Structures are given as structure tokens and as C-alpha cells.
Amino acid sequence: MSRLQAEEETQKAFGWAARDSSGILSPFHFTRRVNGDNDITIKILYCGICHSDLHIARNDFGISIYPVVPGHEIVGVVTQVGKKVDRFKVGDKAGVGCLIGSCGKCENCQNYMESYCSKTVYTYTIFDDGGAKNYGGYSDVYVVNEHFAIRIPDNLSLGGGAPLLCAGITVFSPMKYFGLDKAGMHLGVVGLGGLGHLAVKFAKAFGMKVTVISTSPSKQHEAIEQLKADSFIVSHDMKQMEAATGTMNGIIDTVAAVHPLKPLLDLLKTNGKLILVGAQSLEKPLEVPAMPLYGKKLVSGSMAGGIKETQEMIDFAAKHNIEANVEVIPMDYVNKAVDRLAKGAVRYRFVIDIANTL
């Protein structure tokens, strides 16, 4: 292919990228592919900042390939559609979450679980998989196969809706899969951050009783008064933990740091389920005690759901007025925002105003 042909098959793009493990982001010019027959092009309006963006930008897992343009909580407006596209038209609101490709043939893909495909293509390149380099949503434009785009309902706030495409589906998916979505059930939510606060909102919309479990007593007011959780437990208060023994049908554990699981397993009823959704370190694995499991209790993990389920989640959120609590920031504040995120100093998710500040 000649250089001219290559240029004709790409388009200019602009964003902010990390160039090394300092994780510091700065302006970056690059190219994306042109819109293909099955593609839509999205003018990005907002992009959420996920904790995994911080991990990859700073190479916390030792796998990052630079430069990195992070961002997989993308929402915007469709500006171009391919001739074979039938789900979108120019002017529609659309979003892109954690993945943009899969094999389409394996059992997981056939069951609408593309995120578990062994050939998943992530929205921005996380590690060197031998494929093309992908740049994420801290940028002005994104081109994606329509199958991996999400329709954004008109009544859903774009800023508040952006984090649903990662944080939202990460908690919604296991709640649905493990049957923790029934009115009257009792759900524990460990950690009140970007994932945890959305787990509370979805659980309340399902009609569940919700208990927030946190190491921070200072979060009790916001958990109960703002998010409408039914109760709050300080995890290192043994009297509070003992009082809740055997009361919960399930627990969504959003904490990424190493923490003991036995006290959480003790909170579960018979047949209770403890679901881990926090990004755990490979170097410091959690220990799972065997004895509590003999009460027919289950410990499992879950990632973000597939495309069909993500669309279901977005539609459910729009119907029930669920969106993330966000702090909208300009692009040039992103490095300060990432530093604050590392310290847990955000309630509960940063979202970059791409359209007005890039």
C-alpha cells in the first residue's frame, strides 16, 4: 500500500496521551481509520475517567504500551454512518464502553458475552496483543463497528450517563447474572466509590434492601441520606458486623485493595453469593477461606457485560433516572483529576467535558 493510500484510509484525531509510567497526560495528535461500511463515527462530547485508566496510564500492572490515550466511557453524537449500518443515523446519541471487537464466533460471543471472548478488542490498547493500536476516548472522535456502539436514550444525561458504560455495567451484569435483582432481597455493597454508588442505585431501583459496607464512617450520611441505602456498616466495627451475620442474599464487592473475605462471607445467608468486581492486583491475591463456603456460599468474579446487556442496562438506567454522580472537568484538569482519583478524592466519578474543553 502506498503512503497516499494509507493516508486516505485514516483521518486525523486529537487527544491527550500518557507517554510513560509517570502517567502524565498531554496533547497528542494521531490517526484513526476512516468510517467503514459497518462503522459509525462519533464526535465525542464526554468521557468518564475510570480507575483502570489510572492503572494503565501509570503501568501499575506492568503491561502498558505507550503512548496511551485512555478512556472507555465515551458518549457523543453520530456524525457519519457506513452504508451497511442500520442501528444508527447521523445525529443519534451513541456511546462506547470497554470493548470494540471480538471474534463473533465463540460460545461467549454467541451468548452475547463478548467481554469474555479470548479475542476481545479493548477500546484502548491495554497490552500488546499483536493487533492494531487503539486509542481511547480522551479525544475528539471515535470510529467503531455499530455492533459495539450503545444507543443513548434522549432522557439520559450524557455527562452522568458516560460512567454507566463501564462502572454501571460492571455492577449491573453480576446482579442480573447471579439473580441479585429481585425485590425484597438484601444486597450488601462493599465500597462506596464509582462502582459502589451505582450498585446502590441499581439495587434500589430493583426494589432491594441495601446495606453499604465501608471502612469509612464518614460515608454513612451520603450512603443513607443521598443514595437512600437502608443501612450502613463500618467493616472494622465487629459489633456491627456480627449483628448483620447471615442476613444478606448477596454482596457486590467493589474494593480493589487486599481485604479479608471471611467477614463478608459471614454476612451471607445460606446460598449467598459474594461477587468480586474490583480490579485486583496479580501480585497480592485475595485469600478465600474454605470453611464459610460449606454453607452453600459462593465466591465469584465478574467483568463488564456484553453489548446486549450493556444496552439493557442503559435503557434501564434511563427508565429509572439512574446516572452516576459526577464532577465534570475540563481537559486540562485531567492530571489533577487522576491524582485525586488515586487518593479517592472524588464523589464519585470524574467526567471530561471533551466537546467544550479539548
Side-chain angles (χ1 to χ4, degrees):
M1 180 185 297
S2 70
R3 179 179 178 182
L4 179 59
Q5 287 176 312
E7 290 177 351
E8 288 176 346
E9 294 181 6
T10 60
Q11 59 178 308
K12 294 180 179 179
F14 175 70
W16 280 47
R19 269 76 166 197
D20 55 46
S21 60
S22 70
I24 295 173
L25 295 131
S26 57
F28 177 61
H29 292 273
F30 61 100
T31 60
R32 296 201 187 276
R33 72 174 188 266
V34 296
N35 202 87
D37 290 347
N38 298 298
D39 293 335
I40 64 171
T41 297
I42 300 172
K43 176 185 178 183
I44 299 174
L45 301 181
Y46 295 94
C47 185
I49 299 179
C50 177
H51 212 282
S52 60
D53 295 345
L54 181 157
H55 289 312
I56 300 303
R58 296 183 175 182
N59 199 24
D60 289 343
F61 300 140
I63 58 175
S64 301
I65 303 296
Y66 296 100
V68 172
V69 176
H72 56 209
E73 298 177 345
I74 301 166
V75 291
V77 176
V78 177
T79 59
Q80 188 176 354
V81 298
K83 63 183 181 181
K84 295 182 180 180
V85 169
D86 57 16
R87 295 176 55 240
F88 295 90
K89 63 181 184 302
V90 172
D92 284 351
K93 296 175 183 177
V96 178
C98 301
L99 62 152
I100 58 167
S102 67
C103 78
K105 300 176 181 178
C106 69
E107 183 176 356
N108 285 324
C109 288
Q110 294 299 308
N111 289 325
Y112 306 105
M113 297 171 63
E114 297 95 338
S115 51
Y116 296 92
C117 174
S118 63
K119 297 182 180 179
T120 293
V121 180
Y122 295 103
T123 304
Y124 65 91
T125 298
I126 295 175
F127 58 90
D128 186 3
D129 60 2
K133 177 83 171 179
N134 294 318
Y135 297 109
Y138 296 11
S139 57
D140 57 353
V141 64
Y142 205 91
V143 181
V144 63
N145 183 295
E146 70 160 338
H147 174 79
F148 292 91
I150 305 300
R151 297 185 304 275
I152 306 297
D154 288 337
N155 66 320
L156 185 66
S157 161
L158 293 184
L164 297 178
L165 294 165
C166 175
I169 187 59
T170 296
V171 296
F172 182 90
S173 180
M175 291 171 75
K176 296 291 287 186
Y177 181 82
F178 290 101
L180 300 175
D181 60 346
K182 307 297 188 297
M185 279 187 165
H186 186 185
L187 183 76
V189 176
V190 183
L192 194 62
L195 295 176
H197 90 288
L198 287 172
V200 173
K201 291 188 177 189
F202 280 117
K204 294 305 296 181
F206 289 137
M208 304 177 77
K209 177 182 177 181
V210 181
T211 296
V212 171
I213 305 161
S214 174
T215 59
S216 304
S218 62
K219 291 186 176 182
Q220 180 170 353
H221 177 79
E222 57 197 271
I224 294 177
E225 299 301 325
Q226 297 177 22
L227 298 173
K228 308 304 180 184
D230 298 279
S231 56
F232 185 92
I233 295 175
V234 179
S235 59
H236 52 75
D237 186 320
M238 292 302 102
K239 289 185 178 180
Q240 291 185 24
M241 293 290 284
E242 288 174 7
T245 298
T247 63
M248 300 179 189
N249 299 99
I251 296 174
I252 299 294
D253 186 346
T254 71
V255 174
V258 175
H259 57 288
L261 297 185
K262 184 181 183 301
L264 300 177
L265 289 167
D266 290 342
L267 300 179
L268 293 173
K269 295 181 177 183
T270 302
N271 294 317
K273 303 173 180 68
L274 171 60
I275 313 303
L276 310 178
V277 297
Q280 301 293 330
S281 169
L282 297 176
E283 297 179 359
K284 300 178 180 179
L286 292 174
E287 294 184 1
V288 180
M291 285 300 294
L293 302 182
Y294 295 149
K296 291 190 179 297
K297 298 176 183 181
L298 177 150
V299 178
S300 186
S302 181
M303 299 192 299
I307 302 304
K308 181 179 179 181
E309 191 173 46
T310 301
Q311 187 66 63
E312 177 188 349
M313 178 274 303
I314 284 289
D315 294 340
F316 181 90
K319 180 179 179 180
H320 294 273
N321 299 311
I322 296 173
E323 58 185 58
N325 292 11
V326 302
E327 180 178 336
V328 179
I329 64 166
M331 188 72 241
D332 60 9
Y333 187 78
V334 67
N335 289 305
K336 291 182 180 179
V338 170
D339 285 339
R340 283 177 55 192
L341 177 62
K343 299 172 183 176
V346 56
R347 294 290 183 274
Y348 288 97
R349 208 75 164 181
F350 286 115
V351 172
I352 306 168
D353 182 351
I354 298 291
N356 293 312
T357 67
L358 182 62

